[in-house]
Amino acid sequence: MEQQTGPRIEPDPDDPTYRQVTFTYDGPDCDGVLALVHTVTDRDRHAGDLTPHLMKPTGRGRWEITYRLRADHRASYQVYPFHGAPPGTARADWMRVLDDARPDPHGGPLLPARDGRRPATVLSLPEAPAQPYAARRDGVPRGRTTARALDGRRVDVHLPAGWSADGPAAPYAVAVLLDGEMWGEVLSVGDTLDNLAADGALPPTVALLVHTMGPERAADLSCNPAFVDFLADRLLPWAAREFGATTDPAATVVAGQSAGGLTAAFAAYRRPERFGNALAQSGSFWWPDETEFDAGSEWLTRRFATEERRAARFYVEVGLQEWLLLAQSRHLRDVLTARGYDLEYREFNGGHDYACWRGGLADGLAHLLRDRRRPGPLTPPGDRPPRAPAPCGPASGRGR
């Protein structure tokens, strides 16, 4: 049997901007194999049909499936061998699939997981954006991470190499990272921060990794004023006292993904005098569902459209495969642009996936903290804000 690493990648005969990507699994002792390509498979699962992602037997115990993917696609993926009938698409069935799925046995770079699940393999096609800061490098001055608690909430603090509370770099820029238990314990974001600092892409920065993945996550990360005020009035002053972190909003960024992305943007909306920069990745800007809130969905976007402009800068990104989020992120982009906000907006060809977010987090932090200028003056009182544009329609993302 030929030796290979990861899937087989071949040119697409009809379009040079695409690739034919063939995943294989060697398993003579199973009745079928499901391919889980992050967000691509999820989309059909939401539609109630996993058939397009069942591998085909090719003989001698080998299973294969080929996807046609654009050459800049990046995704984490796993395989799920099963006995008997294929798995169902109900949530309970899907949770069992995720609990038992495994990385590609043919190897490839791994994305760690939490909650006892196995890691995923990362597919990065040739034209996917570079991620030069994600992996640990040899010879880079190392910072250190310490576990602390504030008001009963765990906060892991990453201090840059050579940190001293009263050293020449103080006060330090500060990055508040939501879902800190994922970024710290699982993805080792300290390595990314150290790489950025070593290359001069980031000033010496204290990172506050706030744990938000517990039972209160849904309440904390849904435009909750009390949670944002905790970050602004308790967390940031504490970091200034304990670690020499800055109190300058121009050198302070709050970053989050999914519901955390929504919350990062809300923090800049509610407390721009503390959070001068917001990094929102794949933000849940649809929030809330119309059935949950009398005022309808996209509450935060409508606030940015109709209220006085805040003194804040934004880095917003979303995946082209994120069919539930793309239109709403584009709507937010259009509103922020129309209102004159300092905005860097990007779309990557991937899904709701840490394999993509870890590169975007590094790019966003570098963009927002490398240049600490405050945005321009606020809209003068009495000025009428321009009418917000209508939401853009979703773009089509090719894939299975």
Side-chain angles (χ1 to χ4, degrees), residues 225-280:
F227 177 71
V228 167
D229 290 346
F230 161 77
L231 299 178
D233 298 331
R234 294 287 294 130
L235 181 72
L236 292 183
W238 171 77
R241 293 191 305 270
E242 296 288 324
F243 307 109
T246 187
T247 58
D248 180 4
T252 303
V253 59
V254 54
Q257 301 72 38
S258 194
L262 171 73
T263 300
F266 177 68
Y269 161 81
R270 178 171 173 81
R271 301 297 300 271
E273 83 286 0
R274 300 310 307 265
F275 297 105
N277 302 279
L279 199 172

Side-chain angles (χ1 to χ4, degrees), residues 91-361:
R91 178 173 176 79
D93 295 328
W94 190 244
M95 291 299 103
R96 286 192 290 270
V97 169
L98 296 180
D99 288 341
D100 293 336
R102 59 198 64 180
D104 189 339
H106 293 290
L110 295 178
L111 181 74
R114 65 188 299 265
D115 296 331
R117 288 178 175 165
R118 298 179 179 92
T121 308
V122 177
L123 168 72
S124 297
L125 291 186
E127 296 178 19
Q131 294 185 343
Y133 302 108
R136 186 181 182 93
R137 297 182 192 166
D138 293 332
V140 169
R142 304 250 72 90
R144 60 186 178 90
T145 301
T146 179
R148 302 290 290 270
L150 180 65
D151 295 354
R153 184 186 297 268
R154 181 167 162 183
V155 179
D156 296 331
V157 181
H158 182 77
L159 303 173
W163 172 85
S164 172
D166 56 358
Y172 293 88
V174 60
V176 177
L177 306 187
L178 305 177
D179 293 342
E181 56 266 62
M182 186 69 186
W183 285 111
E185 297 173 345
V186 180
L187 297 176
S188 303
V189 73
D191 293 337
T192 296
L193 297 169
D194 293 341
N195 293 340
L196 285 163
D199 285 3
L202 195 70
T205 299
V206 170
L208 308 174
L209 283 56
V210 183
H211 286 219
T212 54
M213 301 183 81
E216 301 302 318
R217 175 182 172 82
D220 287 341
L221 304 187
S222 55
C223 295
N224 183 340
F227 177 71
V228 167
D229 290 346
F230 161 77
L231 299 178
D233 298 331
R234 294 287 294 130
L235 181 72
L236 292 183
W238 171 77
R241 293 191 305 270
E242 296 288 324
F243 307 109
T246 187
T247 58
D248 180 4
T252 303
V253 59
V254 54
Q257 301 72 38
S258 194
L262 171 73
T263 300
F266 177 68
Y269 161 81
R270 178 171 173 81
R271 301 297 300 271
E273 83 286 0
R274 300 310 307 265
F275 297 105
N277 302 279
L279 199 172
Q281 298 178 274
S282 304
S284 300
F285 297 117
W286 53 263
W287 182 89
D289 289 333
E290 293 186 14
T291 57
E292 298 177 0
F293 201 65
D294 291 341
S297 62
E298 296 187 75
W299 178 87
L300 182 59
T301 298
R302 288 183 288 107
R303 300 283 76 71
F304 280 122
T306 58
E307 297 185 9
E308 181 179 274
R309 183 165 68 87
R310 272 64 173 164
R313 304 169 65 212
F314 293 86
Y315 184 103
V316 177
E317 70 169 15
V318 66
L320 291 173
Q321 306 301 322
E322 298 190 88
W323 77 102
L324 294 173
L325 302 175
L326 184 59
Q328 291 84 353
S329 292
R330 288 174 171 174
H331 187 200
L332 177 68
R333 171 202 63 190
D334 293 344
V335 165
L336 294 179
T337 300
R339 296 303 316 279
Y341 279 96
D342 186 329
L343 168 68
E344 178 74 9
Y345 176 84
R346 298 185 184 182
E347 294 179 353
F348 56 87
N349 191 14
H352 209 66
D353 193 345
Y354 281 99
C356 302
W357 291 337
R358 59 185 179 179
L361 179 70

Side-chain angles (χ1 to χ4, degrees), residues 37-59:
V37 181
H38 207 304
T39 306
V40 176
T41 302
D42 302 73
R43 184 168 190 162
D44 287 326
R45 200 275 295 185
H46 276 271
D49 183 13
L50 289 171
T51 304
H53 308 283
L54 295 175
M55 291 185 170
K56 308 300 182 185
T58 62

Side-chain angles (χ1 to χ4, degrees), residues 4 6-14 18-25 33-37 40-41 44 50-58 62-70 77 79 123 125 398-400:
Q4 64 183 67
R8 186 170 68 250
I9 301 171
E10 300 171 303
D12 184 84
D14 300 321
Y18 282 79
R19 297 292 186 271
Q20 296 286 332
V21 182
T22 300
F23 299 88
T24 64
Y25 181 78
V33 183
L34 176 68
L36 288 80
V37 181
V40 176
T41 302
D44 287 326
L50 289 171
T51 304
H53 308 283
L54 295 175
M55 291 185 170
K56 308 300 182 185
T58 62
R62 171 165 283 199
W63 304 79
E64 288 190 353
I65 190 170
T66 298
Y67 291 85
R68 182 176 185 265
L69 301 173
R70 213 169 70 178
Y77 70 94
V79 293
L123 168 72
L125 291 186
R398 293 296 297 270
R400 294 284 292 272

